[in-house]
Amino acid sequence: MTLRQHLQIRHPLRLTALVSACALLIAMIAFATYRISQQMGLAEMQITGRHRLDLYAASLEREIVKYAYFPSTLGLEQSVLQLLTHPNDPKLVAKVNSFLEQVNERAGTLSIYVMDNKGQVHASSNWRRPDSFIGEDLSFRSYFRDAMETGTGRFFGIGTTRSEPGYYLSSAVENRNGTLGVAIVKVSLEQLEKSWTTVETPVLVSDENGVVILTSVPDWKFTTLLPLDDRTRTAFDRTQQYNRRALQSLGVREISRLGNGARLVNVARHKQELVSPYPVSGRFMEQSLPLPGTKWSLTVFTPLDAVDDMSTTRAAVAAVSTLLLCILALLVNQRRRHLRDLLAASQALQKAHDELERKVAERTADLSSANRQLQEEVVERVRAERSLRATQDGLIQAGKLAVIGQLSTGIAHELNQPLAALRTLSGNTMRFLERGDATTARSNLERIAQIVDRMGQITGQLKAFAHKSSGRPQAVDVRQVVAHAVALLDQRLKTSATEIRTDFPDSPLEAWCDPNRLEQVLINLLGNALDAMAGLASPRIDINGCEEGMMIRLEVRDHGPGLSDEALARLFEPFYTTKEVGVGLGLGLTISAGIVSDFGGTLTGDNHPDGGACFTLVIPKS
Ligand code: ADP
């Protein structure tokens, strides 16, 4: 899983911005920590440096003070005073020379000598040596002039004779008549530097010219802190202060000032750097202090390495901590966002749920109201249907009663005649039998049998009419029923050479009825058509069927003489027939109309415009 996936950051720009912001924050905090840490370190270092300065200055001062009053004590010595009054007295010279030699040895100083008020050396501790100062004119030395003018003089310089660097302390030798001369004590630098054997950082003393005269770093001796101009160099040549030493620059370059005389500097690396217990080049904090009673300055260089290291370490720790905090913040933020998303999703879900519930409640209310309405409508319909059925039943009943009435009249009419004939015939037959006329009696009995058969025919048809509603309605392809009815009449059709022409759609023509009863109706219609066309040259029956809305329409047309006006008026009347007795009963169309009516349809008969009778069946579609 990448960081982006883990943090669920969808937009790459957002990730870049986030990482950049974190990097910037880390950099800023690291930098700030570094700077603050450095400032604090420098402040601490400044205090330590200041202590060191005070310490080194004090120890140096102690060394110098040790010799400070030394030259003036020489002016108390009678032999010195006498010598300066009588400088050409060899005895006195020898005495003072010996005295100075002894004192020099005891004090551990480099040399002690006495000059007259013209600057000429008259006695010296090094009188035995061939390069002794005796007889030399050192009036050019500043310590001589200073002592003559102010009573004392201090001077750092390099000896003109032996090129030995040293600290010259001078004091005017006076008596009641004025200044007789100057007594000088030269102290070796090593002696002063002894106090610095344990220093931890580079330390130096520079004179008023910025020349390093004392230092814990041997390499730095007789280098300059300040660049020397030509005028100063010429002056040095004149006073031979540094006895023509090269006086190279120490190479101190200021980086910044810190206040309280402290500054950050960079000390250049020297060509032949000695092995040193502390760094002698690089970055330092430089702190200076003027040494009281001298024109010198004491300077301490504290290396910045420790502060730099500490600041770098702290900055690194701060950077790592910030990085961790950033990651933590990102994770917390991501978690918070995740929780917020979850909460939002849960709220959205709850809202959707509430909305759904509200809609369900609304729909339920609608549905129950619609349901109530529907129930009311259903109840209303049921009521209406019941009342319709009651009306229908009443009508059917009335219709049936009418048919029964008609039938009863017909039956009574049809049966009364044969019954009367039967009574007459049976009475006659009895008489003929009594007379022994068996032939006539047999003829009568045959006649009676014919009459009974005819009566049986009538009751048979009535029976069929009575059982008309026994079949169950179903989906019936009218084309098949027609084909079946035609097949049943096949013999008659062939005998009469009648052509059957059908016109049906290709798809099933399904009606909702009892197929056997429909077949019965068709057989009756086809039979009537064949009867009507009996004797014609080319009899033909056209049968066509089609859908008509929710109904199926079926037409059976013949090419016979058609229906007479009377027949049109009485077609469906029971026992109406134009056929001969024994051929037609006049019940076929009556029964057929009843069957079709039971299907919920109608049967009508009419004359075709082009001739022939046409019977039309309209029955419901399945
Ligand atoms: P039946 O066939 O026993 O006479 P029907 O009720 O079937 O009884 O027919 C009644 C009468 O209607 C017939 O006698 C006939 O006069 C007339 N009729 C029926 N069909 C036709 C027809 N296709 N052409 C002419 N007359 C017809």
Side-chain angles (χ1 to χ4, degrees):
M1 187 185 267
T2 64
L3 177 71
R4 196 179 142 197
Q5 284 168 331
H6 186 75
L7 296 177
Q8 294 185 351
I9 295 168
R10 292 160 192 100
H11 208 286
L13 272 178
R14 195 173 146 77
L15 176 66
T16 315
L18 211 59
V19 170
S20 306
C22 284
L24 189 68
L25 183 70
I26 290 166
M28 280 166 65
I29 287 183
F31 180 71
T33 309
Y34 183 85
R35 287 310 300 264
I36 292 168
S37 185
Q38 196 185 41
Q39 296 301 323
M40 284 165 63
L42 288 176
E44 222 170 280
M45 192 178 266
Q46 221 171 334
I47 295 166
T48 315
R50 176 60 56 183
H51 286 154
R52 278 197 187 126
L53 262 183
D54 291 343
L55 194 72
Y56 300 158
S59 61
L60 188 64
E61 190 64 23
R62 263 200 311 278
E63 283 300 314
I64 292 169
V65 163
K66 260 189 354 197
Y67 303 100
Y69 299 103
F70 201 178
S72 58
T73 54
L74 292 174
L76 303 173
E77 178 56 38
Q78 280 306 309
S79 57
V80 172
L81 289 168
Q82 284 169 0
L83 175 70
L84 290 176
T85 322
H86 308 285
N88 297 319
D89 185 344
K91 274 188 180 173
L92 272 174
V93 170
K95 190 181 174 186
V96 175
N97 275 343
S98 169
F99 169 69
L100 295 179
E101 190 179 28
Q102 282 175 27
V103 172
N104 185 48
E105 215 170 303
R106 287 258 178 89
T109 50
L110 274 182
S111 56
I112 304 172
Y113 48 99
V114 177
M115 304 161 80
D116 64 17
N117 52 15
K118 299 282 184 301
Q120 191 180 3
V121 179
H122 288 284
S124 170
S125 58
N126 60 1
W127 61 275
R128 289 179 198 274
R129 291 186 7 195
D131 55 356
S132 161
F133 306 143
I134 296 170
E136 274 188 44
D137 179 4
L138 296 177
S139 59
F140 60 89
R141 290 290 207 183
S142 62
Y143 55 79
F144 167 73
R145 289 201 303 274
D146 289 346
M148 286 300 286
E149 283 164 22
T150 63
T152 55
R154 287 185 181 192
F155 173 75
F156 167 78
I158 297 172
T160 47
T161 319
R162 297 182 63 189
S163 300
E164 204 170 28
Y167 186 43
Y168 296 83
L169 297 128
S170 62
S171 179
V173 179
E174 295 165 337
N175 65 5
R176 282 189 300 275
N177 302 323
T179 305
L180 299 173
V182 176
I184 298 105
V185 174
K186 183 180 178 184
V187 182
S188 88
L189 291 177
E190 283 76 17
Q191 235 164 327
L192 297 177
E193 284 171 351
K194 262 195 284 184
S195 60
W196 292 344
T197 48
T198 56
V199 295
E200 296 151 21
T201 54
V203 55
L204 60 85
V205 173
S206 55
D207 66 9
E208 65 275 23
N209 300 313
V211 177
V212 178
I213 53 172
L214 294 176
T215 173
S216 60
V217 184
D219 238 19
W220 289 3
K221 200 166 276 182
F222 301 113
T223 56
T224 59
L225 295 179
L226 307 167
L228 297 177
D229 55 25
D230 289 346
R231 238 182 74 195
T232 318
R233 282 187 185 279
T234 314
F236 290 167
D237 287 348
R238 188 164 36 80
T239 57
Q240 295 179 28
Q241 186 172 358
Y242 306 104
N243 199 19
R244 296 187 177 81
R245 291 259 176 153
L247 301 180
Q248 293 290 331
S249 168
L250 179 57
V252 176
R253 187 174 53 79
E254 183 180 290
I255 300 171
S256 63
R257 288 187 174 276
L258 296 176
N260 293 329
R263 55 181 195 152
L264 296 184
V265 296
N266 189 56
V267 178
R269 211 177 159 77
H270 283 251
K271 275 170 281 171
Q272 297 164 328
E273 212 156 73
L274 293 177
V275 180
S276 161
Y278 38 74
V280 293
S281 62
R283 295 169 73 241
F284 293 92
M285 179 192 279
E286 184 204 80
Q287 287 168 288
S288 295
L289 184 75
L291 283 170
T294 67
K295 293 176 182 171
W296 301 349
S297 289
L298 179 68
T299 306
V300 172
F301 289 86
T302 314
L304 293 178
D305 297 3
V307 172
D308 285 346
D309 289 353
M310 187 185 68
S311 305
T312 310
T313 308
R314 285 185 183 170
V317 169
V320 171
S321 306
T322 313
L323 177 67
L324 290 175
L325 276 175
C326 280
I327 291 172
L328 192 71
L330 282 176
L331 288 177
V332 167
N333 187 44
Q334 191 266 333
R335 174 97 188 121
R336 198 172 53 80
R337 192 176 303 160
H338 180 63
L339 285 176
R340 200 182 58 203
D341 286 353
L342 271 182
L343 192 70
S346 148
Q347 280 172 350
L349 204 66
Q350 184 64 43
K351 203 174 159 192
H353 176 260
D354 292 349
E355 182 67 13
L356 203 66
E357 288 232 318
R358 193 183 59 74
K359 280 189 179 167
V360 166
E362 256 178 35
R363 294 277 158 87
T364 311
D366 287 355
L367 269 178
S368 52
S369 123
N371 201 21
R372 258 200 312 280
Q373 221 168 324
L374 204 66
Q375 274 179 355
E376 282 167 13
E377 269 176 36
V378 166
V379 169
E380 200 61 36
R381 287 257 173 101
V382 167
R383 258 189 222 138
E385 218 163 273
R386 270 188 200 151
S387 107
L388 195 68
R389 194 164 293 162
T391 314
Q392 223 171 18
D393 286 352
L395 283 173
I396 288 168
Q397 199 60 30
K400 276 187 179 173
L401 284 173
V403 170
I404 287 169
Q406 275 183 319
L407 272 174
S408 305
T409 317
I411 289 166
H413 177 72
E414 286 297 314
L415 294 183
N416 273 347
Q417 215 181 349
L419 278 173
L422 280 177
R423 198 173 54 238
T424 311
L425 279 172
S426 62
N428 288 347
T429 307
M430 279 172 66
R431 271 197 297 276
F432 284 127
L433 281 173
E434 283 167 5
R435 274 186 220 159
D437 189 351
T439 313
T440 312
R442 186 180 293 118
S443 162
N444 275 3
L445 283 172
E446 279 171 4
R447 178 87 182 116
I448 287 169
Q450 280 175 356
I451 293 168
V452 169
D453 280 350
R454 167 130 177 96
M455 289 171 78
Q457 259 185 338
I458 294 170
T459 51
Q461 286 211 10
L462 286 171
K463 205 169 139 193
F465 179 65
H467 289 106
K468 65 185 176 188
S469 55
S470 59
R472 292 214 163 272
Q474 55 188 273
V476 173
D477 188 355
V478 170
R479 300 177 307 171
Q480 283 181 6
V481 179
V482 169
H484 203 238
V486 169
L488 285 173
L489 291 171
D490 189 47
Q491 198 53 46
R492 272 189 79 187
L493 291 168
K494 273 184 185 159
T495 314
S496 59
T498 305
E499 186 193 356
I500 300 284
R501 279 190 196 174
T502 53
D503 183 13
F504 288 121
D506 292 337
S507 52
L509 206 58
E510 288 192 324
W512 186 253
C513 62
D514 174 2
N516 296 325
R517 313 301 287 167
L518 180 62
E519 191 183 279
Q520 203 181 333
V521 171
L522 285 170
I523 286 172
N524 188 48
L525 292 178
L526 290 171
N528 280 348
L530 287 172
D531 286 344
M533 293 189 296
L536 287 183
S538 48
R540 192 177 108 201
I541 301 173
D542 298 331
I543 308 172
N544 58 65
C546 63
E547 284 187 10
E548 203 175 64
M550 296 302 290
M551 309 300 272
I552 301 284
R553 184 186 178 90
L554 190 66
E555 285 178 352
V556 180
R557 180 213 165 176
D558 61 50
H559 289 265
L563 299 166
S564 65
D565 289 344
E566 192 197 0
L568 274 173
R570 300 182 57 192
L571 263 184
F572 299 102
E573 213 173 86
F575 300 109
Y576 170 73
T577 181
T578 56
K579 293 172 190 171
E580 288 171 28
V581 175
V583 177
L585 276 172
L587 287 174
L589 287 177
T590 313
I591 292 168
S592 296
I595 290 169
V596 175
S597 169
D598 266 1
F599 292 163
T602 54
L603 175 64
T604 52
D606 210 343
N607 282 321
H608 195 274
D610 298 331
C614 180
F615 286 87
T616 306
L617 266 157
V618 177
I619 48 177
K621 215 160 76 170
S622 104

